Amino acid sequence: QVQVVESGGGLVQPGGSLRLSCAASGRIFSLGDMGWYRPAPGKGRELVATITRGDITNYADSAKGRFTISRDNAKNTAYLQMNNLKPEDTAVYYCRVYAQVPGMVADYWGQGTQVTVSS
């Protein structure tokens, strides 16, 4: 019912920037919280940044001051602007969305987009 597709990842040098996009499509009545996650040893997937429909944001400590999450509700799309990237930011970044669909509210994950920070 809902498809989530991330894009914008790639290879960038330390100090560089990337802008990730997360587009949700399908039979969506409305979108709730949206967020970006990445794998973490012993933690499964850790939160990088989340944003509510009312634009309330939350960031991991490692992302504060460098990453900015935003959304365009008209496009059912979330973004993650990543600045001053560091090698430790290298990971697959997954988008998670909560969507109201026919008969229920559920969360959906994308397949991820690879971010590699290396010189």
Side-chain angles (χ1 to χ4, degrees):
Q1 289 183 300
V2 177
Q3 297 78 47
V4 179
V5 180
E6 303 97 332
S7 62
L11 175 64
V12 65
Q13 294 184 351
S17 298
L18 287 172
R19 182 176 174 84
L20 308 184
S21 297
C22 169
S25 62
R27 297 187 63 188
I28 302 171
F29 294 155
S30 65
L31 288 176
D33 294 4
M34 307 180 75
W36 292 93
Y37 298 77
R38 65 191 179 195
K43 299 180 180 180
R45 294 180 181 177
E46 68 177 2
L47 182 151
V48 177
T50 59
I51 184 168
T52 71
R53 187 173 182 85
D55 292 333
I56 299 173
T57 58
N58 186 41
Y59 296 93
D61 287 342
S62 62
K64 292 179 180 178
R66 299 189 299 121
F67 296 179
T68 301
I69 188 171
S70 61
R71 64 189 291 163
D72 185 336
N73 291 330
K75 297 180 179 180
N76 286 341
T77 300
Y79 306 93
L80 186 68
Q81 179 67 47
M82 302 187 294
N83 297 326
N84 192 25
L85 283 161
K86 303 175 181 179
E88 52 263 43
D89 295 321
T90 296
V92 178
Y93 284 74
Y94 296 89
C95 181
R96 184 186 188 182
V97 306
Y98 288 86
Q100 181 183 354
V101 299
M104 65 183 294
V105 175
D107 65 314
Y108 299 87
W109 291 88
Q111 294 186 357
T113 185
Q114 176 71 51
V115 172
T116 302
V117 184
S118 177
S119 60

